[in-house]
Amino acid sequence: MKSDEINGNIPQLLYGQVVVGNDIIDNGVVIIEGQSIVYVGSEEDLPVDWTSVVLGNSEEGATQAANIVRLEGGYLLPGFIDIHVHGGNGEDFMDSDSRVLDAITSFHSSQGTTAMLATTMTAPKERIDRVLKEVHTYMALPMPHAQLEGVHLEGPFISPNWAGAQNPEHIVPPNLAWVAEWEQCYPGLVRQVTLAPEQKGALELIAWLRSHSITAALGHTNATYEEIEQAASAGLNHAVHTFNAMTPLHHRKPGAAGAVLADPRIEAEIIADGIHVHPAAISLLAKLKQDQNLILITDAMSATGLEDGHYTLGDLPVIVQDGVARLEDGITLAGSTLTMIEGFRYLVQHVGLSIPEASQMASLNPARSLNIADRTGSLEAGKQADVLLLDADLNLQGIWIKGVRKSL
């Protein structure tokens, strides 16, 4: 995918219905200069100096110009941030090198993702070591596509009872020494660790993670409601792909799912593809998670963006049929082939959320989770120009990352 490079000296004025917080500004404008947003508001309130630029009658004369984008009935909203994604375009983060990372980030940027976490699988330590080294090296240079914000370690400290599409041969008990070593070698690179809180040593690791500003997430867990509550008191603050690969909700045994629903200390991820979770369950979760603590994810694997066929997730063979990824047993779901724009549309068109509600789940809430909401995740003056333009049917028509318009 190539970038449509825009001269940084030329302002870009984007016109449409602008999604800001819980509101939509009709006849809105987003102005980009360089990598930053410098104005968000209504066209009527556009400052006089910007009106002069648009009309071409500024003091500098008609030679001063702006790139102007208008789409009748279109929406402008912040770029999507995917904190749980394993790959796409035929590539898997477990095979990371610069080519693989370019392939994954370029594909997902074309689907509206402007920032993401490289998500690993349960694997031998040496293989995780390699992923961390490659991602660290990649992030040290200018990234041309969706920006990697770090790594999400999904495993290997999970429950063998709920391995899902993780290879049970590589599951190990929580190992604080490993995580401390990774943090020492690559400070700030690991942003989230998914583990089974009921495992021996998990509470100690959770407390350590939170003391180092790393998200401690429950997932692939056999924990009871009570064990999750104990873990939350130790610092557990996140749940991956809620309802999937965890003890389910029962009216006498609320399980891990019940704890996620009931405890506001735990922010929740959701895969909104109509396969992993029924829309009624997503609607229920959305009603309970009202404190910017519900996050849209894809859990996308390497087959995302490609045709049905045979693929791998980590080191496990996967069959994709009718867009649904499963292990060879034909039963176990193996990630998804979802993109963020598809998940966003599903939330609006099938779950019944408003466009601002779905936008917060896809952008602001994950930005808050990663502690990067001061620079991205919403359309505000002074923030990074990560902007999406959607038509009236919520199809992508434009993508800007750090002010540069990308090809669809």
Side-chain angles (χ1 to χ4, degrees), residues 170-182:
H170 307 314
I171 293 173
V172 295
N175 192 315
L176 177 53
W178 288 9
V179 183
E181 176 190 327
W182 291 327

Side-chain angles (χ1 to χ4, degrees), residues 214-226:
I214 299 171
T215 296
L218 70 95
H220 295 272
T221 173
N222 199 44
T224 64
Y225 174 89
E226 291 76 16

Side-chain angles (χ1 to χ4, degrees), residues 33-111:
E33 275 194 305
Q35 296 186 0
S36 301
I37 296 170
V38 296
Y39 175 80
V40 177
S42 67
E43 187 172 356
E44 291 79 8
D45 296 331
L46 196 64
V48 173
D49 53 345
W50 282 112
T51 303
S52 299
V53 170
V54 174
L55 295 175
N57 59 1
S58 66
E59 292 181 2
E60 288 79 7
T63 56
Q64 184 170 356
N67 256 303
I68 298 174
V69 178
R70 291 181 183 267
L71 180 63
E72 190 68 31
Y75 295 93
L76 290 163
L77 54 151
F80 301 140
I81 301 172
D82 192 356
I83 64 173
H84 190 156
V85 49
H86 293 280
N89 200 25
E91 304 294 348
D92 190 311
F93 278 122
M94 293 305 297
D95 302 317
S96 286
D97 57 25
S98 60
R99 180 193 64 79
V100 167
L101 295 173
D102 271 344
I104 296 173
T105 56
S106 65
F107 169 73
H108 283 287
S109 70
S110 76
Q111 305 301 306

